[in-house]
Amino acid sequence: MSILVYTESENGKLKKAALEVVSYAKAVADQMGTSVTAVAVNADNAETLGNYGASKVLLVKDDSLKAFNAKKYAAIIENAAKNEAAKVVVVSSSANSKYLAPLLAVGLDAGYVANVVEAPSNVSPFTVKHSAFTNKAFANTEITTDVKIVGLSNNSFGLVESGGSAAVEDFSPSIPDSGVTVESVDKATDKVSIADAEIVVSGGRGLKGPENWGMIEELAEVLGAATACSKPVSDLGWRPHGEHVGQTGKPVASNLYIAIGISGAIQHLAGINASKVKVVINTDTEAPFFKAADYGVVGDAFEVVPKLIEKLKAFKAANA
Ligand SMILES: Cc1cc2nc3c(=O)[nH]c(=O)nc-3n(C[C@H](O)[C@H](O)[C@H](O)COP(=O)(O)OP(=O)(O)OC[C@H]3O[C@@H](n4cnc5c(N)ncnc54)[C@H](O)[C@@H]3O)c2cc1C
């Protein structure tokens, strides 16, 4: 009876969230006195998972699984969970995992809690803390089913290296035909994605136009951050829709969110509540974002941001 964890990868490379869910699963396994088995699909560096606490990796190599397919992936994880007699299955809270987890819950007759932010406060009864109401509140929920599925919120637990190693085994379960064929996946950019980013630099209508985004990109580059924006910015075509953050856009759970020229409307804040540290740069002292911010700079973005870039570059050069 091990803890089973599904690890996401892209183009053969495990995502950072994959290492985080394994770190989390290891903490749960230690609490329950058991071990961690990871499932990886087409990952070239599956043995890396040993360093984060997996003692076994079930590796599925199959070209037909290169594009994510929820039904097929859920069948693989269900099969692995049954083989391992897993009582706890851990997935991330990415869009893909939120899509496959309910299918998995049906297959395993399991209770599922998404957006979990901490290791269980108790494993008997199994109680997890998770965010609720678009991250405005937390709830402690007891999962009462025999098999439990935990969806870990990105960047909530962090990476914990254990220095261990994992036995990588080929795994070839029978995979059902899902009735859906993904013909191609076109990514808008090859930059850091908002969902995986530890730091996000986001711009709003206060930046006046797309021609002013150079400084946002420069700041993001210096910080190794992803770029994002408010809804009107993408509606106006200044930035791609994939960057729009909020209630109707993408959620962000970064360690640092820098909002520049964004008012802080409730629909925007709904997407960033899970971010740990929020920094706001705005000319208007009454901008609602200041109430949600940890640090606020009242000032003109066109003066503040270039100075910030200059200081950060100098700091990096001095500490290189
Ligand atoms: C159903 C619904 C869903 C929505 N979903 C979303 C969503 O998912 N995401 C989202 O973002 N919005 C969403 N909205 C829109 C939301 O209500 C706001 O209109 C939007 O967030 C405002 O964007 P903004 O802050 O960039 O622009 P504005 O409201 O125009 O604010 C611009 C800000 O920039 C500041 N500013 C101006 N010049 C400067 C300068 N030189 N330097 C620094 N600061 C400056 C201003 O003081 C102001 O605070 C939704 C609305 C509805 C009705």
PDB file of all heavy atoms in Angstrom, residues 204-206 208 230-232 244-249 261-263 265 267-268 281-284 299-302, ligand 1:
ATOM      1  N   GLY A 204      -1.461  46.205 -16.574  1.00  0.00           N
ATOM      2  CA  GLY A 204      -2.858  46.549 -16.831  1.00  0.00           C
ATOM      3  C   GLY A 204      -2.975  47.727 -17.776  1.00  0.00           C
ATOM      4  O   GLY A 204      -1.991  48.164 -18.398  1.00  0.00           O
ATOM      5  N   ARG A 205      -4.198  48.246 -17.846  1.00  0.00           N
ATOM      6  CA  ARG A 205      -4.489  49.337 -18.792  1.00  0.00           C
ATOM      7  C   ARG A 205      -3.704  50.599 -18.472  1.00  0.00           C
ATOM      8  O   ARG A 205      -3.544  51.466 -19.319  1.00  0.00           O
ATOM      9  CB  ARG A 205      -6.004  49.598 -18.771  1.00  0.00           C
ATOM     10  CG  ARG A 205      -6.527  50.224 -20.008  1.00  0.00           C
ATOM     11  CD  ARG A 205      -7.968  49.904 -20.276  1.00  0.00           C
ATOM     12  NE  ARG A 205      -8.799  49.962 -19.073  1.00  0.00           N
ATOM     13  CZ  ARG A 205     -10.109  49.702 -19.077  1.00  0.00           C
ATOM     14  NH1 ARG A 205     -10.704  49.390 -20.220  1.00  0.00           N
ATOM     15  NH2 ARG A 205     -10.804  49.766 -17.965  1.00  0.00           N
ATOM     16  N   GLY A 206      -3.180  50.667 -17.231  1.00  0.00           N
ATOM     17  CA  GLY A 206      -2.349  51.819 -16.860  1.00  0.00           C
ATOM     18  C   GLY A 206      -1.089  51.927 -17.699  1.00  0.00           C
ATOM     19  O   GLY A 206      -0.418  52.982 -17.692  1.00  0.00           O
ATOM     20  N   LYS A 208      -1.068  51.979 -20.863  1.00  0.00           N
ATOM     21  CA  LYS A 208      -1.489  52.830 -22.000  1.00  0.00           C
ATOM     22  C   LYS A 208      -1.500  52.143 -23.375  1.00  0.00           C
ATOM     23  O   LYS A 208      -2.293  52.508 -24.224  1.00  0.00           O
ATOM     24  CB  LYS A 208      -0.641  54.115 -22.143  1.00  0.00           C
ATOM     25  CG  LYS A 208      -0.241  54.803 -20.860  1.00  0.00           C
ATOM     26  CD  LYS A 208      -1.393  55.458 -20.145  1.00  0.00           C
ATOM     27  CE  LYS A 208      -0.908  56.217 -18.911  1.00  0.00           C
ATOM     28  NZ  LYS A 208      -1.861  56.215 -17.823  1.00  0.00           N
ATOM     29  N   SER A 230      -4.172  42.133 -17.291  1.00  0.00           N
ATOM     30  CA  SER A 230      -5.582  42.183 -16.904  1.00  0.00           C
ATOM     31  C   SER A 230      -6.438  41.889 -18.141  1.00  0.00           C
ATOM     32  O   SER A 230      -5.953  41.872 -19.268  1.00  0.00           O
ATOM     33  CB  SER A 230      -5.922  43.563 -16.330  1.00  0.00           C
ATOM     34  OG  SER A 230      -5.765  44.540 -17.335  1.00  0.00           O
ATOM     35  N   LYS A 231      -7.720  41.682 -17.904  1.00  0.00           N
ATOM     36  CA  LYS A 231      -8.623  41.300 -18.998  1.00  0.00           C
ATOM     37  C   LYS A 231      -8.715  42.359 -20.097  1.00  0.00           C
ATOM     38  O   LYS A 231      -8.605  42.018 -21.283  1.00  0.00           O
ATOM     39  CB  LYS A 231     -10.010  40.985 -18.427  1.00  0.00           C
ATOM     40  CG  LYS A 231     -11.020  40.514 -19.447  1.00  0.00           C
ATOM     41  CD  LYS A 231     -12.296  40.073 -18.749  1.00  0.00           C
ATOM     42  CE  LYS A 231     -13.296  39.477 -19.728  1.00  0.00           C
ATOM     43  NZ  LYS A 231     -13.847  40.471 -20.629  1.00  0.00           N
ATOM     44  N   PRO A 232      -8.934  43.643 -19.744  1.00  0.00           N
ATOM     45  CA  PRO A 232      -9.057  44.620 -20.839  1.00  0.00           C
ATOM     46  C   PRO A 232      -7.832  44.659 -21.740  1.00  0.00           C
ATOM     47  O   PRO A 232      -7.948  44.892 -22.952  1.00  0.00           O
ATOM     48  CB  PRO A 232      -9.231  45.959 -20.115  1.00  0.00           C
ATOM     49  CG  PRO A 232      -9.374  45.689 -18.686  1.00  0.00           C
ATOM     50  CD  PRO A 232      -9.134  44.247 -18.424  1.00  0.00           C
ATOM     51  N   HIS A 244      -4.112  36.526 -19.783  1.00  0.00           N
ATOM     52  CA  HIS A 244      -5.125  37.224 -18.973  1.00  0.00           C
ATOM     53  C   HIS A 244      -5.405  36.444 -17.682  1.00  0.00           C
ATOM     54  O   HIS A 244      -5.745  35.281 -17.688  1.00  0.00           O
ATOM     55  CB  HIS A 244      -6.338  37.440 -19.893  1.00  0.00           C
ATOM     56  CG  HIS A 244      -7.686  37.392 -19.259  1.00  0.00           C
ATOM     57  ND1 HIS A 244      -8.806  37.022 -19.952  1.00  0.00           N
ATOM     58  CD2 HIS A 244      -8.113  37.685 -18.018  1.00  0.00           C
ATOM     59  CE1 HIS A 244      -9.855  37.073 -19.170  1.00  0.00           C
ATOM     60  NE2 HIS A 244      -9.467  37.464 -17.996  1.00  0.00           N
ATOM     61  N   VAL A 245      -5.244  37.163 -16.575  1.00  0.00           N
ATOM     62  CA  VAL A 245      -5.366  36.562 -15.245  1.00  0.00           C
ATOM     63  C   VAL A 245      -6.683  36.999 -14.604  1.00  0.00           C
ATOM     64  O   VAL A 245      -7.082  38.147 -14.740  1.00  0.00           O
ATOM     65  CB  VAL A 245      -4.189  37.067 -14.362  1.00  0.00           C
ATOM     66  CG1 VAL A 245      -4.440  36.821 -12.890  1.00  0.00           C
ATOM     67  CG2 VAL A 245      -2.888  36.406 -14.789  1.00  0.00           C
ATOM     68  N   GLY A 246      -7.337  36.090 -13.902  1.00  0.00           N
ATOM     69  CA  GLY A 246      -8.528  36.510 -13.161  1.00  0.00           C
ATOM     70  C   GLY A 246      -9.641  35.489 -13.199  1.00  0.00           C
ATOM     71  O   GLY A 246      -9.449  34.347 -13.587  1.00  0.00           O
ATOM     72  N   GLN A 247     -10.817  35.962 -12.806  1.00  0.00           N
ATOM     73  CA  GLN A 247     -12.000  35.109 -12.715  1.00  0.00           C
ATOM     74  C   GLN A 247     -12.303  34.435 -14.049  1.00  0.00           C
ATOM     75  O   GLN A 247     -12.661  33.269 -14.099  1.00  0.00           O
ATOM     76  CB  GLN A 247     -13.176  36.007 -12.306  1.00  0.00           C
ATOM     77  CG  GLN A 247     -14.490  35.298 -12.087  1.00  0.00           C
ATOM     78  CD  GLN A 247     -15.595  36.336 -11.873  1.00  0.00           C
ATOM     79  OE1 GLN A 247     -15.412  37.337 -11.203  1.00  0.00           O
ATOM     80  NE2 GLN A 247     -16.742  36.092 -12.464  1.00  0.00           N
ATOM     81  N   THR A 248     -12.186  35.196 -15.127  1.00  0.00           N
ATOM     82  CA  THR A 248     -12.467  34.626 -16.446  1.00  0.00           C
ATOM     83  C   THR A 248     -11.176  34.268 -17.173  1.00  0.00           C
ATOM     84  O   THR A 248     -11.213  33.844 -18.324  1.00  0.00           O
ATOM     85  CB  THR A 248     -13.264  35.631 -17.300  1.00  0.00           C
ATOM     86  OG1 THR A 248     -12.601  36.903 -17.218  1.00  0.00           O
ATOM     87  CG2 THR A 248     -14.681  35.780 -16.814  1.00  0.00           C
ATOM     88  N   GLY A 249     -10.039  34.456 -16.516  1.00  0.00           N
ATOM     89  CA  GLY A 249      -8.750  34.122 -17.127  1.00  0.00           C
ATOM     90  C   GLY A 249      -8.067  33.018 -16.368  1.00  0.00           C
ATOM     91  O   GLY A 249      -8.725  32.130 -15.833  1.00  0.00           O
ATOM     92  N   GLY A 261       0.093  49.014 -12.931  1.00  0.00           N
ATOM     93  CA  GLY A 261      -0.983  49.726 -13.655  1.00  0.00           C
ATOM     94  C   GLY A 261      -2.253  48.897 -13.739  1.00  0.00           C
ATOM     95  O   GLY A 261      -2.981  48.956 -14.730  1.00  0.00           O
ATOM     96  N   ILE A 262      -2.522  48.120 -12.691  1.00  0.00           N
ATOM     97  CA  ILE A 262      -3.765  47.320 -12.626  1.00  0.00           C
ATOM     98  C   ILE A 262      -4.569  47.820 -11.418  1.00  0.00           C
ATOM     99  O   ILE A 262      -4.021  47.927 -10.314  1.00  0.00           O
ATOM    100  CB  ILE A 262      -3.467  45.807 -12.466  1.00  0.00           C
ATOM    101  CG1 ILE A 262      -2.598  45.310 -13.623  1.00  0.00           C
ATOM    102  CG2 ILE A 262      -4.761  45.004 -12.381  1.00  0.00           C
ATOM    103  CD1 ILE A 262      -2.213  43.835 -13.541  1.00  0.00           C
ATOM    104  N   SER A 263      -5.851  48.083 -11.631  1.00  0.00           N
ATOM    105  CA  SER A 263      -6.648  48.716 -10.571  1.00  0.00           C
ATOM    106  C   SER A 263      -6.917  47.782  -9.393  1.00  0.00           C
ATOM    107  O   SER A 263      -7.022  48.237  -8.255  1.00  0.00           O
ATOM    108  CB  SER A 263      -7.980  49.202 -11.147  1.00  0.00           C
ATOM    109  OG  SER A 263      -8.667  48.099 -11.711  1.00  0.00           O
ATOM    110  N   ALA A 265      -9.541  45.236  -9.615  1.00  0.00           N
ATOM    111  CA  ALA A 265     -10.970  44.895  -9.614  1.00  0.00           C
ATOM    112  C   ALA A 265     -11.139  43.483  -9.058  1.00  0.00           C
ATOM    113  O   ALA A 265     -10.235  42.646  -9.190  1.00  0.00           O
ATOM    114  CB  ALA A 265     -11.521  44.971 -11.044  1.00  0.00           C
ATOM    115  N   GLN A 267     -12.703  40.955  -9.993  1.00  0.00           N
ATOM    116  CA  GLN A 267     -12.559  39.837 -10.941  1.00  0.00           C
ATOM    117  C   GLN A 267     -11.090  39.538 -11.224  1.00  0.00           C
ATOM    118  O   GLN A 267     -10.732  38.414 -11.552  1.00  0.00           O
ATOM    119  CB  GLN A 267     -13.260  40.157 -12.269  1.00  0.00           C
ATOM    120  CG  GLN A 267     -14.763  40.359 -12.166  1.00  0.00           C
ATOM    121  CD  GLN A 267     -15.146  41.792 -11.875  1.00  0.00           C
ATOM    122  OE1 GLN A 267     -14.298  42.648 -11.619  1.00  0.00           O
ATOM    123  NE2 GLN A 267     -16.436  42.074 -11.895  1.00  0.00           N
ATOM    124  N   HIS A 268     -10.234  40.535 -11.120  1.00  0.00           N
ATOM    125  CA  HIS A 268      -8.796  40.298 -11.306  1.00  0.00           C
ATOM    126  C   HIS A 268      -8.231  39.621 -10.056  1.00  0.00           C
ATOM    127  O   HIS A 268      -7.511  38.627 -10.151  1.00  0.00           O
ATOM    128  CB  HIS A 268      -8.050  41.606 -11.598  1.00  0.00           C
ATOM    129  CG  HIS A 268      -6.614  41.389 -11.952  1.00  0.00           C
ATOM    130  ND1 HIS A 268      -6.210  41.113 -13.242  1.00  0.00           N
ATOM    131  CD2 HIS A 268      -5.496  41.349 -11.186  1.00  0.00           C
ATOM    132  CE1 HIS A 268      -4.896  40.923 -13.249  1.00  0.00           C
ATOM    133  NE2 HIS A 268      -4.436  41.065 -12.014  1.00  0.00           N
ATOM    134  N   ILE A 281       2.164  48.463  -8.192  1.00  0.00           N
ATOM    135  CA  ILE A 281       2.699  49.772  -8.602  1.00  0.00           C
ATOM    136  C   ILE A 281       1.554  50.502  -9.291  1.00  0.00           C
ATOM    137  O   ILE A 281       1.035  50.041 -10.326  1.00  0.00           O
ATOM    138  CB  ILE A 281       3.909  49.605  -9.564  1.00  0.00           C
ATOM    139  CG1 ILE A 281       5.022  48.787  -8.894  1.00  0.00           C
ATOM    140  CG2 ILE A 281       4.422  50.984 -10.018  1.00  0.00           C
ATOM    141  CD1 ILE A 281       6.133  48.350  -9.831  1.00  0.00           C
ATOM    142  N   ASN A 282       1.123  51.619  -8.715  1.00  0.00           N
ATOM    143  CA  ASN A 282      -0.048  52.314  -9.253  1.00  0.00           C
ATOM    144  C   ASN A 282       0.039  53.793  -8.861  1.00  0.00           C
ATOM    145  O   ASN A 282       0.478  54.120  -7.759  1.00  0.00           O
ATOM    146  CB  ASN A 282      -1.328  51.676  -8.678  1.00  0.00           C
ATOM    147  CG  ASN A 282      -2.556  52.012  -9.501  1.00  0.00           C
ATOM    148  OD1 ASN A 282      -2.869  53.181  -9.713  1.00  0.00           O
ATOM    149  ND2 ASN A 282      -3.252  50.986  -9.981  1.00  0.00           N
ATOM    150  N   THR A 283      -0.399  54.658  -9.752  1.00  0.00           N
ATOM    151  CA  THR A 283      -0.361  56.102  -9.462  1.00  0.00           C
ATOM    152  C   THR A 283      -1.446  56.513  -8.475  1.00  0.00           C
ATOM    153  O   THR A 283      -1.314  57.543  -7.805  1.00  0.00           O
ATOM    154  CB  THR A 283      -0.592  56.906 -10.758  1.00  0.00           C
ATOM    155  OG1 THR A 283      -1.640  56.270 -11.491  1.00  0.00           O
ATOM    156  CG2 THR A 283       0.654  57.025 -11.604  1.00  0.00           C
ATOM    157  N   ASP A 284      -2.519  55.726  -8.411  1.00  0.00           N
ATOM    158  CA  ASP A 284      -3.700  56.126  -7.633  1.00  0.00           C
ATOM    159  C   ASP A 284      -3.663  55.500  -6.234  1.00  0.00           C
ATOM    160  O   ASP A 284      -3.811  54.284  -6.094  1.00  0.00           O
ATOM    161  CB  ASP A 284      -4.950  55.674  -8.416  1.00  0.00           C
ATOM    162  CG  ASP A 284      -6.233  55.975  -7.670  1.00  0.00           C
ATOM    163  OD1 ASP A 284      -6.187  56.671  -6.637  1.00  0.00           O
ATOM    164  OD2 ASP A 284      -7.293  55.505  -8.127  1.00  0.00           O
ATOM    165  N   GLY A 299       3.214  55.322  -7.535  1.00  0.00           N
ATOM    166  CA  GLY A 299       4.113  55.995  -8.472  1.00  0.00           C
ATOM    167  C   GLY A 299       3.771  55.659  -9.908  1.00  0.00           C
ATOM    168  O   GLY A 299       2.975  54.739 -10.183  1.00  0.00           O
ATOM    169  N   ASP A 300       4.369  56.404 -10.809  1.00  0.00           N
ATOM    170  CA  ASP A 300       4.153  56.224 -12.241  1.00  0.00           C
ATOM    171  C   ASP A 300       4.995  55.035 -12.720  1.00  0.00           C
ATOM    172  O   ASP A 300       6.222  55.019 -12.544  1.00  0.00           O
ATOM    173  CB  ASP A 300       4.586  57.521 -12.947  1.00  0.00           C
ATOM    174  CG  ASP A 300       4.267  57.495 -14.433  1.00  0.00           C
ATOM    175  OD1 ASP A 300       4.148  56.387 -14.995  1.00  0.00           O
ATOM    176  OD2 ASP A 300       4.146  58.586 -15.025  1.00  0.00           O
ATOM    177  N   ALA A 301       4.320  54.066 -13.314  1.00  0.00           N
ATOM    178  CA  ALA A 301       5.011  52.857 -13.779  1.00  0.00           C
ATOM    179  C   ALA A 301       6.185  53.204 -14.699  1.00  0.00           C
ATOM    180  O   ALA A 301       7.219  52.521 -14.679  1.00  0.00           O
ATOM    181  CB  ALA A 301       4.030  51.958 -14.521  1.00  0.00           C
ATOM    182  N   PHE A 302       6.014  54.275 -15.484  1.00  0.00           N
ATOM    183  CA  PHE A 302       7.063  54.614 -16.456  1.00  0.00           C
ATOM    184  C   PHE A 302       8.326  55.166 -15.780  1.00  0.00           C
ATOM    185  O   PHE A 302       9.375  55.226 -16.382  1.00  0.00           O
ATOM    186  CB  PHE A 302       6.498  55.587 -17.495  1.00  0.00           C
ATOM    187  CG  PHE A 302       5.369  54.969 -18.268  1.00  0.00           C
ATOM    188  CD1 PHE A 302       4.044  55.185 -17.886  1.00  0.00           C
ATOM    189  CD2 PHE A 302       5.622  54.095 -19.322  1.00  0.00           C
ATOM    190  CE1 PHE A 302       3.002  54.580 -18.558  1.00  0.00           C
ATOM    191  CE2 PHE A 302       4.580  53.489 -20.007  1.00  0.00           C
ATOM    192  CZ  PHE A 302       3.260  53.725 -19.627  1.00  0.00           C
TER     193      PHE A 302
HETATM  194  C1  LIG B   1     -17.944  39.203 -15.650  1.00  0.00           C
HETATM  195  C2  LIG B   1     -16.614  39.906 -15.601  1.00  0.00           C
HETATM  196  C3  LIG B   1     -15.459  39.145 -15.558  1.00  0.00           C
HETATM  197  C4  LIG B   1     -14.217  39.779 -15.526  1.00  0.00           C
HETATM  198  N1  LIG B   1     -13.072  39.012 -15.466  1.00  0.00           N
HETATM  199  C5  LIG B   1     -11.887  39.644 -15.353  1.00  0.00           C
HETATM  200  C6  LIG B   1     -10.686  38.889 -15.226  1.00  0.00           C
HETATM  201  O1  LIG B   1     -10.688  37.658 -15.232  1.00  0.00           O
HETATM  202  N2  LIG B   1      -9.515  39.558 -15.118  1.00  0.00           N
HETATM  203  C7  LIG B   1      -9.445  40.927 -15.107  1.00  0.00           C
HETATM  204  O2  LIG B   1      -8.327  41.468 -15.004  1.00  0.00           O
HETATM  205  N3  LIG B   1     -10.563  41.655 -15.231  1.00  0.00           N
HETATM  206  C8  LIG B   1     -11.771  41.056 -15.369  1.00  0.00           C
HETATM  207  N4  LIG B   1     -12.885  41.802 -15.522  1.00  0.00           N
HETATM  208  C9  LIG B   1     -12.709  43.257 -15.690  1.00  0.00           C
HETATM  209  C10 LIG B   1     -12.521  43.969 -14.378  1.00  0.00           C
HETATM  210  O3  LIG B   1     -13.770  44.253 -13.788  1.00  0.00           O
HETATM  211  C11 LIG B   1     -11.754  45.290 -14.583  1.00  0.00           C
HETATM  212  O4  LIG B   1     -12.422  46.057 -15.549  1.00  0.00           O
HETATM  213  C12 LIG B   1     -10.316  45.070 -15.068  1.00  0.00           C
HETATM  214  O5  LIG B   1      -9.645  44.157 -14.238  1.00  0.00           O
HETATM  215  C13 LIG B   1      -9.585  46.411 -15.075  1.00  0.00           C
HETATM  216  O6  LIG B   1      -8.358  46.270 -15.697  1.00  0.00           O
HETATM  217  P1  LIG B   1      -7.169  47.263 -15.388  1.00  0.00           P
HETATM  218  O7  LIG B   1      -6.983  47.328 -13.932  1.00  0.00           O
HETATM  219  O8  LIG B   1      -6.017  46.844 -16.235  1.00  0.00           O
HETATM  220  O9  LIG B   1      -7.681  48.645 -15.985  1.00  0.00           O
HETATM  221  P2  LIG B   1      -8.261  49.948 -15.290  1.00  0.00           P
HETATM  222  O10 LIG B   1      -9.444  49.632 -14.457  1.00  0.00           O
HETATM  223  O11 LIG B   1      -8.415  50.939 -16.380  1.00  0.00           O
HETATM  224  O12 LIG B   1      -7.125  50.415 -14.282  1.00  0.00           O
HETATM  225  C14 LIG B   1      -5.885  50.908 -14.701  1.00  0.00           C
HETATM  226  C15 LIG B   1      -5.091  51.224 -13.439  1.00  0.00           C
HETATM  227  O13 LIG B   1      -3.823  51.721 -13.828  1.00  0.00           O
HETATM  228  C16 LIG B   1      -3.484  52.830 -12.994  1.00  0.00           C
HETATM  229  N5  LIG B   1      -2.558  53.664 -13.750  1.00  0.00           N
HETATM  230  C17 LIG B   1      -2.830  54.530 -14.754  1.00  0.00           C
HETATM  231  N6  LIG B   1      -1.691  55.082 -15.234  1.00  0.00           N
HETATM  232  C18 LIG B   1      -0.678  54.547 -14.504  1.00  0.00           C
HETATM  233  C19 LIG B   1       0.737  54.708 -14.531  1.00  0.00           C
HETATM  234  N7  LIG B   1       1.325  55.523 -15.410  1.00  0.00           N
HETATM  235  N8  LIG B   1       1.476  54.006 -13.652  1.00  0.00           N
HETATM  236  C20 LIG B   1       0.895  53.165 -12.745  1.00  0.00           C
HETATM  237  N9  LIG B   1      -0.449  52.989 -12.682  1.00  0.00           N
HETATM  238  C21 LIG B   1      -1.220  53.650 -13.560  1.00  0.00           C
HETATM  239  C22 LIG B   1      -4.795  53.486 -12.679  1.00  0.00           C
HETATM  240  O14 LIG B   1      -4.684  54.223 -11.467  1.00  0.00           O
HETATM  241  C23 LIG B   1      -5.723  52.284 -12.550  1.00  0.00           C
HETATM  242  O15 LIG B   1      -5.754  51.823 -11.208  1.00  0.00           O
HETATM  243  C24 LIG B   1     -14.138  41.185 -15.555  1.00  0.00           C
HETATM  244  C25 LIG B   1     -15.317  41.933 -15.575  1.00  0.00           C
HETATM  245  C26 LIG B   1     -16.541  41.311 -15.603  1.00  0.00           C
HETATM  246  C27 LIG B   1     -17.778  42.148 -15.629  1.00  0.00           C
END
